[in-house]
């Protein structure tokens, strides 16, 4: 039809930081649950046509801080609902509008390794009493321990205009890039000069003393970075870089905010590069759910390119 198709280039990233709640509960003769993780903070980076901005909430905003964050994410998604649309193509065609149904705008919300961790935190929120929040889970693909895609929708009513639905499509960047850590993801797919993720001593506090520990002004000590879970230490070089960075912030809370936001901003460059070099083969990276699906699409595209 002589139309210029464009891939999805605008999306929202997200990441949770957590703290331990110790339980030491025996569930069988051979199994003891030492602790489980509770959400401490959450951040998002919004990449829209207007530019990049960030969202941040932590437990100091109240017990419902995740709901507050979700409200902001829906608000930002509503503002960028037209960003991924193709010019000169009717909305009804692009958005697959069915008779008597609302137009539905879908915005990707992308985490890293979120399929196993962050989405379990979110599902507790999705299925809590959210009648006042107005959002609902439309569908999910995957298992209870590893989600591939979760669709969460909210209906908006316009004054003097038709209602429309905003759908947040939660997916995992790790599924589009293969195994590895967030640091590996940034180094492998990020552009030159892409910001590396920082360091944070997750095991230096728990839900009984986090307010006291994070309200301190001095940087964490090197021993605070010892991980009992991984039996690992921070290197002298990495600790020196942390101290230099941490001294820019008034309290450890401020550094936590910086660290959490850094994670979600650092995802933008790698995701942009994945979208770009996948699109070189005419494959729209964010419309698929995995690296293998994109690879398969590219393989078949190469088969018929000379037909």
């Amino acid at each position: 039809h002589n139309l210029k198709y464009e891939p999805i280039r605008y999306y929202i990233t997200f990441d949770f930081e957590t703290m331990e709640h110790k339980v030491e509960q025996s569930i069988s003769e051979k199994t003891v649950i030492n602790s489980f993780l509770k959400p401490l903070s959450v951040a998002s980076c919004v990449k829209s046509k207007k530019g990049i901005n960030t969202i941040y909430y932590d437990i100091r905003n109240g017990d419902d801080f995740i709901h507050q964050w979700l409200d902001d994410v829906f608000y930002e998604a509503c503002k960028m609902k037209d960003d991924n649309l193709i010019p000169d193509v009717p909305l009804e065609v692009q958005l697959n509008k069915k008779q008597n149904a609302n137009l539905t705008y879908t915005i990707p919300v992308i985490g890293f390794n979120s399929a196993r961790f962050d989405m379990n935190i979110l599902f507790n929120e999705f299925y809590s009493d959210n009648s006042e929040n107005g959002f609902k889970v439309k569908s999910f693909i995957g298992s209870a321990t590893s989600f591939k895609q979760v669709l969460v929708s909210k209906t908006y009513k316009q004054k003097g205009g038709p209602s429309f639905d905003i759908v947040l499509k939660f997916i995992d960047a790790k599924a589009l890039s293969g195994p590895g850590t967030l640091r590996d993801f940034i180094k492998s797919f990020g552009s030159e000069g892409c910001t590396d993720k920082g360091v944070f001593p997750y095991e230096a506090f728990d839900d009984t003393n986090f307010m006291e520990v994070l309200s301190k002004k001095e940087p964490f000590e090197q021993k605070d970075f010892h991980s009992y879970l991984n039996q690992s230490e921070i290197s002298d070089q990495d600790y020196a870089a942390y101290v230099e960075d941490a001294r820019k912030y008034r309290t450890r809370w401020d550094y936590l905010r910086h660290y959490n936001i850094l994670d979600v901003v650092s995802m933008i460059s790698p995701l942009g590069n994945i979208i770009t070099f996948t699109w070189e083969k005419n494959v729209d990276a964010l419309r698929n759910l995995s690296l293998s699906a994109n690879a398969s699409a590219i393989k078949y595209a190469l088969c018929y390119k000379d037909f």
Side-chain angles (χ1 to χ4, degrees):
H1 298 282
N2 199 30
L3 297 171
K4 184 181 179 182
Y5 184 84
E6 287 291 334
I8 295 172
R9 297 188 185 276
Y10 303 104
Y11 49 84
I12 300 171
T13 61
F14 78 103
D15 179 61
F16 280 93
E17 302 302 339
T18 58
M19 58 184 168
E20 276 192 308
H21 172 73
K22 296 178 181 179
V23 291
E24 299 296 337
Q25 177 183 357
S26 296
I27 60 173
S28 72
E29 292 182 0
K30 297 182 178 180
T31 304
V32 176
I33 297 178
N34 301 115
S35 61
F36 63 82
L37 298 178
K38 294 179 64 176
L40 175 65
S41 66
V42 61
S44 282
C45 183
V46 180
K47 183 183 180 184
S48 69
K49 277 189 175 181
K50 294 181 179 179
I52 289 176
N53 68 296
T54 57
I55 305 169
Y56 174 82
Y57 284 91
D58 63 45
I59 198 167
R60 294 175 298 171
N61 294 108
D63 293 337
D64 64 340
F65 77 92
I66 297 178
H67 275 168
Q68 296 177 49
W69 165 77
L70 273 171
D71 284 341
D72 263 13
V73 172
F74 269 110
Y75 175 73
E76 293 293 337
C78 189
K79 292 197 298 183
M80 61 187 290
K81 63 184 176 64
D82 296 324
D83 286 4
N84 289 313
L85 296 180
I86 304 167
D88 304 320
V89 179
L91 283 179
E92 290 77 5
V93 174
Q94 294 192 64
L95 304 179
N96 195 24
K97 177 176 168 59
K98 297 179 181 178
Q99 190 174 9
N100 299 323
N102 291 341
L103 288 171
T104 301
Y105 300 84
T106 301
I107 301 297
V109 183
I110 308 170
F112 188 88
N113 205 20
S114 57
R116 294 185 61 191
F117 296 102
D118 294 353
M119 288 311 302
N120 284 293
I121 294 174
L122 278 174
F123 256 76
N124 289 331
E125 302 300 319
F126 292 154
Y127 288 111
S128 64
D129 181 15
N130 55 29
S131 56
E132 294 183 0
N133 293 277
F135 57 78
K136 60 182 179 180
V137 178
K138 290 188 64 176
S139 68
F140 71 86
I141 300 172
S143 67
T145 56
S146 183
F147 301 101
K148 294 185 183 298
Q149 175 183 279
V150 181
L151 301 180
V152 183
S153 69
K154 188 173 184 178
T155 299
Y156 288 83
K157 296 179 180 179
Q158 300 183 97
K159 291 183 179 180
S163 300
F164 62 89
D165 293 337
I166 294 293
V167 175
L168 304 181
K169 182 172 79 170
F170 287 90
I171 56 178
D172 190 345
K174 195 170 182 178
L176 300 171
S177 61
T181 64
L182 178 55
R183 183 173 275 107
D184 296 331
F185 177 66
I186 295 167
K187 289 183 177 179
S188 298
F189 296 95
S191 303
E192 185 177 351
C194 177
T195 304
D196 195 0
K197 72 181 265 76
V199 292
F200 194 79
Y202 298 102
E203 298 178 46
F205 56 90
D206 57 32
D207 66 335
T208 65
N209 63 354
F210 69 94
M211 282 297 296
E212 176 189 354
V213 173
L214 293 176
S215 296
K216 293 182 178 180
K217 296 182 179 181
E218 64 270 17
F220 286 100
E221 297 179 15
Q222 190 164 358
K223 64 181 178 62
D224 293 329
F225 288 85
H226 172 73
S227 173
Y228 293 95
L229 180 64
N230 300 321
Q231 290 300 306
S232 62
E233 310 283 348
I234 189 173
S235 69
D236 292 343
Q237 182 180 359
D238 286 345
Y239 180 70
Y242 155 73
V243 171
E244 183 180 354
D245 203 18
R247 284 175 176 162
K248 301 173 185 175
Y249 301 94
R250 190 173 64 86
T251 68
R252 294 172 178 178
W253 279 113
D254 298 322
Y255 180 78
L256 171 65
R257 183 181 188 277
H258 157 73
Y259 174 81
N260 202 171
I261 290 176
L262 185 63
D263 277 357
V264 293
V265 172
S266 296
M267 292 170 60
I268 298 298
S269 174
L271 285 168
N273 287 332
I274 289 174
I275 291 168
T276 297
F277 65 65
T278 306
W279 182 239
E280 290 174 359
K281 303 299 182 183
N282 295 320
V283 174
D284 191 350
L286 296 187
R287 290 193 186 276
N288 292 317
L289 299 181
S290 67
L291 176 63
S292 58
N294 283 330
S296 179
I298 291 171
K299 178 181 72 174
Y300 287 112
L302 292 174
C303 289
Y304 63 68
K305 70 185 181 74
D306 293 328
F307 279 30

